[in-house]
């Protein structure tokens, strides 16, 4: 897909469809030289998300699509995003090849944010996993004709939208085509295309040397080797802040010897969604940059049972020296994160560390598919993520980690066990409590995205039986906020 940005008064790019927005308390404005039947404008009320497609009687477009934004005073980023996505979806439904958004004003809403939400919605709305089907994608070109300040926001929006779509493509790709080695390839591609981003990849030999026995134990039963991917974005001007994002990159979770029921096992291709989000963030950073030094760690692994697989009861040692009893091989996310977090705390020493992981089924029960659970050891960091969630409509809700939860994760043979006793409940909190043993003194937040990473409700730009790319927009907003 190609995205072009033009100024408002530039000669209109010829395309299959012109898209304009309207509010129900304002007159609809069309670009000079474009005319539609008066009746089409008069009978349309511009309610939020409403659409009207009409033939154009003059100008370089065959058709004009008018999208409603509702009342001008009530406009927010989410309804702009959704309106833009409705337009992109309509174009795809009609198999159009190129579309043009024309936006002259932001109706009193912040112009930069208007542009950002517009482009995010258009880019995300046009997402489709097409690479495995015969035939080519119809929609190939999206042009934005906008006023100047809107244009700057739209540039960000295109980058962030692209990052989100990258994450979703990695999520939706079947697990036999998105193995740990494929995540490595994606990371290398991102770093190659950006001067500010570099990547280091630790293979199993390197991880053995680093004594990452916990991470390594998870893929013992898989013929696919595990990797630890370390991306770094170094800003041109350093502000002194350094953050680290850690994303669970479990490319398929069968549960291992503690095998999952087969009914929904195919959904476990999404178990790399945290890693996908980190890659999406770096993809966005390659286009819009940030003054923050950003590190991205992705432990990439596949959890399968075979004769070599880790067994329930086995004892493994993480790189910080803690011995872990693996009582359930399906609680593997925390095992690969343990070594990644300990490595980050000791070697990267960031000012803040945020992990994203499809860690527990319990968070799906508690918060469903619209909300990410957050917990950690730093109230300010947690609150910053909750606020970023409000601004991006990637909602984040705090869950507790109490001393009891930490106590519950202590082992009998080893220092820790990877699941709590059966009577404790609070499965998401005990998962977080386990991770807390590996972060040292680093301010840390854990985002449990097991629900929010896939299968969200219909939001026009995402929703239904697919990945959401959750975390990309959230963390880019967080970086902007610090
Ligand atoms: N990948 C799962 C968590 C998950 C569940 C993600 C549903 C997406 C949807 C994770 O590795 C897992 O299996 N967790 C176990 C932990 C338990 C054994 C303590 C779970 O939630 O059942
Ligand atoms: Mg292996
Ligand atoms: Zn699991």
């Amino acid at each position: 897909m190609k995205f072009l940005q033009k100024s408002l008064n530039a000669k209109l790019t010829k395309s299959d469809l012109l898209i304009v927005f309207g509010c129900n308390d304002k007159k609809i404005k069309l670009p000079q030289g474009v005319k539609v039947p008066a009746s089409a404008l008069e009978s349309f009320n511009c309610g939020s998300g409403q659409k009207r497609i009409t033939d154009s009687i003059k100008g370089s477009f065959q058709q004009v699509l008018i999208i409603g934004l509702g009342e001008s005073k009530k406009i927010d980023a989410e309804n702009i995003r959704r309106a833009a996505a409705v337009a992109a979806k309509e174009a795809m439904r009609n198999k159009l090849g190129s579309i043009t958004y024309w936006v002259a004003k932001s109706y009193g809403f912040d112009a930069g944010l208007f542009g950002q939400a517009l482009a995010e919605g258009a880019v995300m709305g046009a997402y489709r996993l097409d690479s495995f089907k015969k035939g080519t994608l119809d929609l190939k070109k999206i042009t934005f004709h906008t006023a100047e300040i809107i244009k700057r926001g739209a540039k960000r929006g295109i980058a962030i939208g692209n990052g989100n779509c990258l994450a979703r493509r990695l999520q939706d790709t079947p697990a036999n085509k998105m193995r740990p080695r494929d995540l490595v390839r994606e990371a290398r591609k991102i770093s190659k295309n950006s001067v500010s981003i570099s990547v280091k990849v630790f293979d199993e030999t390197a991880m053995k040397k680093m004594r990452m026995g916990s991470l390594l134990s998870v893929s013992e039963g898989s013929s696919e080797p595990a990797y630890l991917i370390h991306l770094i974005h170094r800003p041109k001007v350093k502000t002194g802040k350094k953050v680290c994002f850690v994303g669970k990159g479990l490319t398929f979770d069968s549960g291992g010897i503690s095998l999952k029921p087969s009914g929904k096992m195919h959904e476990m291709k999404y178990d790399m969604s945290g890693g996908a989000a980190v890659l999406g963030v770096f993809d966005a950073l390659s286009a819009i940059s940030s003054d923050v030094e950003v590190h991205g760690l992705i432990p990439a692994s596949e959890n399968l049972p075979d004769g070599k697989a880790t067994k329930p009861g086995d004892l493994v040692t993480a790189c910080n020296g803690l011995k872990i009893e693996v009582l359930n091989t399906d609680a593997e996310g925390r095992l690969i994160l343990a070594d990644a977090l300990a490595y980050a705390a000791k070697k990267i020493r960031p000012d803040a560390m945020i992990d994203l992981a499809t860690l527990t089924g319990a968070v799906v029960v508690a918060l469903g598919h619209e909300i990410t659970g957050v917990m950690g050891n730093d109230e300010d960091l947690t609150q910053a993520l909750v606020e970023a969630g409000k601004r991006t409509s990637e909602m984040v809700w705090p869950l507790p980690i109490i001393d009891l939860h930490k106590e519950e994760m202590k082992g009998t043979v080893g220092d820790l066990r990877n699941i709590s006793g059966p009577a404790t409940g609070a499965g998401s909190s005990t998962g977080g409590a386990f991770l807390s043993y590996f972060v040292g003194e680093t301010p840390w937040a854990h985002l449990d995205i097991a629900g929010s990473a896939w299968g969200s409700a219909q939001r026009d730009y995402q929703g239904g039986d697919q990945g959401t790319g959750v975390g990309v927009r959230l963390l880019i907003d967080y970086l902007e906020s610090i």
Side-chain angles (χ1 to χ4, degrees):
M1 183 89 70
K2 238 171 101 179
F3 301 99
L4 292 175
Q5 289 194 270
K6 297 270 173 73
S7 46
L8 196 64
N9 300 320
K11 190 170 169 292
L12 278 177
T13 319
K14 207 171 151 42
S15 72
D16 297 332
L17 181 71
L18 175 71
I19 298 151
V20 297
F21 296 94
C23 291
N24 54 18
D25 53 345
K26 295 266 153 66
K27 218 170 149 261
I28 297 169
K29 223 181 139 203
L30 293 176
Q32 227 175 13
V34 175
K35 224 172 155 189
V36 299
S39 59
L41 297 182
E42 280 155 16
S43 61
F44 184 64
N45 80 353
C46 288
S48 186
Q50 299 273 28
K51 58 177 189 249
R52 162 72 54 90
I53 200 157
T54 169
D55 284 337
S56 144
I57 36 182
K58 212 176 127 211
S60 49
F61 301 90
Q62 284 215 326
Q63 289 187 308
V64 176
L65 174 63
I66 311 162
I67 305 277
L69 287 172
E71 206 179 306
S72 59
K73 283 195 192 67
K74 289 190 181 155
I75 290 182
D76 62 18
E78 182 69 354
N79 74 4
I80 298 165
R81 227 175 262 128
R82 291 188 64 156
V86 165
K89 284 259 152 45
E90 180 70 13
M92 292 203 294
R93 213 164 52 81
N94 293 319
K95 304 212 174 302
L96 303 182
S98 59
I99 60 176
T100 299
Y101 289 87
W102 187 82
V103 185
K105 52 184 180 178
S106 61
Y107 303 99
F109 188 75
D110 180 280
L113 293 180
F114 193 109
Q116 184 180 330
L118 166 80
E120 284 177 359
V123 175
M124 294 193 293
Y127 169 77
R128 188 156 77 189
L129 181 74
D130 69 320
S131 46
F132 302 114
K133 281 192 183 167
K134 281 222 174 80
T136 49
L137 191 71
D138 299 306
L139 186 56
K140 288 207 176 69
K141 195 167 103 185
I142 299 182
T143 308
F144 300 93
H145 274 271
T146 59
E148 231 26 58
I149 4 174
I150 297 180
K151 194 172 164 189
R152 255 171 273 150
K155 184 175 180 245
R156 271 182 74 76
I158 293 171
I160 297 166
N162 275 330
N164 169 277
C165 290
L166 172 81
R168 281 153 81 178
R169 183 170 60 74
L170 305 185
Q171 290 183 286
D172 292 340
T173 299
N176 64 333
K177 312 238 176 250
M178 192 48 64
R179 303 154 295 179
R181 64 173 82 187
D182 298 303
L183 291 178
V184 169
R185 187 195 62 230
E186 296 290 338
R188 291 211 158 107
K189 199 155 81 189
I190 291 169
S191 113
K192 208 174 153 204
N193 291 335
S194 162
V195 283
S196 76
I197 298 172
S198 59
V199 67
K200 273 190 288 191
V201 178
F202 300 102
D203 62 10
E204 292 191 338
T205 314
M207 289 192 281
K208 262 174 214 150
K209 270 194 199 137
M210 291 152 81
R211 302 184 172 277
M212 296 186 166
S214 182
L215 199 169
L216 286 164
S217 74
V218 172
S219 66
E220 289 294 346
S222 166
S223 57
E224 289 295 332
Y227 294 96
L228 178 62
I229 303 166
H230 182 182
L231 286 151
I232 310 172
H233 160 79
R234 288 189 206 283
K236 277 198 209 99
V237 248
K238 226 190 141 188
T239 58
K241 281 250 164 70
K242 194 202 287 188
V243 304
C244 182
F245 301 139
V246 184
K248 174 181 176 186
L250 213 291
T251 59
F252 189 74
D253 182 17
S254 70
I257 298 293
S258 313
L259 197 63
K260 283 183 183 296
S262 59
K264 289 186 174 178
M265 200 194 276
H266 63 279
E267 287 171 353
M268 287 303 124
K269 70 173 180 181
Y270 292 121
D271 219 17
M272 35 59 76
S273 297
V278 172
L279 288 167
V281 166
F282 277 81
D283 181 67
L285 285 176
S286 71
I288 56 175
S289 197
S290 163
D291 300 340
V292 182
E293 180 176 319
V294 188
H295 292 251
L297 278 183
I298 304 166
S301 171
E302 184 178 66
N303 185 18
L304 292 175
D306 87 341
K308 289 206 176 76
T310 300
K311 304 169 290 299
D314 283 359
L315 191 72
V316 301
T317 310
C319 66
N320 67 348
L322 289 178
K323 293 201 162 40
I324 306 159
E325 284 169 62
V326 182
L327 296 185
N328 188 320
T329 64
D330 197 11
E332 84 300 328
R334 57 198 75 183
L335 295 176
I336 65 171
L337 287 171
D339 276 323
L341 290 169
Y343 170 81
K346 192 158 168 223
K347 292 279 158 62
I348 301 173
R349 303 171 63 81
D351 300 305
M353 173 153 84
I354 299 166
D355 79 74
L356 308 93
T358 46
L359 205 74
T360 65
V363 87
V364 192
V365 177
L367 300 175
H369 291 282
E370 311 307 316
I371 309 172
T372 295
V374 65
M375 56 209 97
N377 60 10
D378 188 289
E379 293 245 349
D380 290 344
L381 181 56
T382 302
Q383 196 49 36
L385 291 167
V386 170
E387 295 304 325
K390 286 182 193 162
R391 289 189 295 267
T392 54
S393 292
E394 288 194 346
M395 230 190 299
V396 173
W397 203 263
L399 295 171
I401 299 175
I402 61 172
D403 288 343
L404 172 78
H405 299 145
K406 291 189 191 167
E407 210 49 44
E408 269 297 310
M409 302 315 292
K410 289 192 173 152
T412 44
V413 177
D415 304 300
L416 297 174
R417 52 183 183 178
N418 76 332
I419 55 167
S420 61
T424 314
S428 302
S429 294
T430 52
F434 178 88
L435 298 178
S436 74
Y437 285 98
F438 299 90
V439 301
E441 298 298 308
T442 312
W444 155 76
H446 158 58
L447 296 165
D448 194 334
I449 58 170
S452 57
W454 58 284
S456 82
Q458 198 44 252
R459 290 194 206 167
D460 302 311
Y461 57 83
Q462 67 175 52
D465 194 13
Q466 50 170 246
T468 61
V470 77
V472 178
R473 294 193 299 112
L474 181 82
L475 293 183
I476 291 287
D477 183 284
Y478 163 76
L479 285 177
E480 190 66 12
S481 75
I482 54 174

